[in-house]
Amino acid sequence: MRRAVCPGTFDPVTNGHLDVVRRASLLFDEVVVAAGVNSAKSGLFTLEERLEMLREVVADLGNVTVDSFGGLVVDYCTSIGAVAMVKGLRGPGDYEYELPMAHMNSRMSPVETVFLATDPAYSFVSSSLMKVVLGNGGQADGLLPPAVVDRVKARYAELAEGGQG
């Protein structure tokens, strides 16, 4: 059984993330989409909300499960017996950011880092950008799963009602 991990914060999950997960699911026997806990980041959604959204959007992929992790992703991969972590690359900036981490990870464990080039249709999409767009009343149709768009819009409406948005 060849298990891979697709790590990220997924705040929120985008269609770019899903493209990478779907393609990874064709390459590995099992794929674990692992949402990281990053206490340095203040997210739009709680960990439980992110896990719920992830489970919903990967439900049609029979060999994909959802989990969370804290600490180093390479340690998490080792703890669950993953042979690889899969990262999507949108462009050269992602590669420059991810390559040193891949090198460090290879020093710490035998877990391989596999890079998948993002579908060009999603090459500009990031969770941060989608939050800015939707938080300011813009449209993200086709860039986020519809249920996720609804949840992001609802969250911003909640924040606005509370005087925080």
Side-chain angles (χ1 to χ4, degrees):
M1 168 91 95
R2 299 182 60 77
R3 178 179 296 140
V5 172
C6 289
T9 53
F10 306 106
D11 188 36
V13 61
T14 70
N15 285 347
H17 292 131
L18 288 180
D19 173 63
V20 170
V21 170
R22 285 182 193 285
R23 291 168 45 218
S25 76
L26 300 174
L27 300 173
F28 295 93
D29 299 316
E30 181 185 351
V31 174
V32 179
V33 180
V37 177
N38 186 343
S39 58
K41 280 188 175 180
S42 172
L44 185 61
F45 294 101
T46 67
L47 176 62
E48 278 309 313
E49 290 169 326
R50 291 182 283 137
L51 293 173
E52 184 179 306
M53 284 186 279
L54 285 166
R55 287 185 191 105
E56 181 179 338
V57 299
V58 301
D60 65 319
L61 301 173
N63 65 334
V64 176
T65 59
V66 174
D67 198 7
S68 63
F69 73 95
L72 297 176
V73 67
V74 71
D75 291 340
Y76 172 75
C77 290
T78 301
S79 76
I80 66 164
V83 298
M85 70 178 79
V86 178
K87 302 287 196 99
L89 297 179
R90 293 169 293 186
D94 284 354
Y95 182 74
E96 289 178 10
Y97 177 79
E98 295 289 352
L99 186 63
M101 285 196 294
H103 288 158
M104 179 55 91
N105 289 339
S106 71
R107 290 182 57 94
M108 296 189 297
S109 101
V111 176
E112 290 290 342
T113 301
V114 175
F115 295 125
L116 292 179
T118 301
D119 181 319
Y122 307 120
S123 64
F124 64 95
V125 177
S126 70
S127 295
S128 299
L129 178 60
M130 294 299 94
K131 288 188 281 194
V132 169
V133 169
L134 289 169
N136 287 287
Q139 296 298 314
D141 297 342
L143 303 176
L144 299 174
V148 174
V149 170
D150 293 344
R151 290 186 73 162
V152 173
K153 287 180 177 179
R155 177 57 43 92
Y156 280 120
E158 290 169 14
L159 293 173
E161 289 172 12
Q164 300 171 7

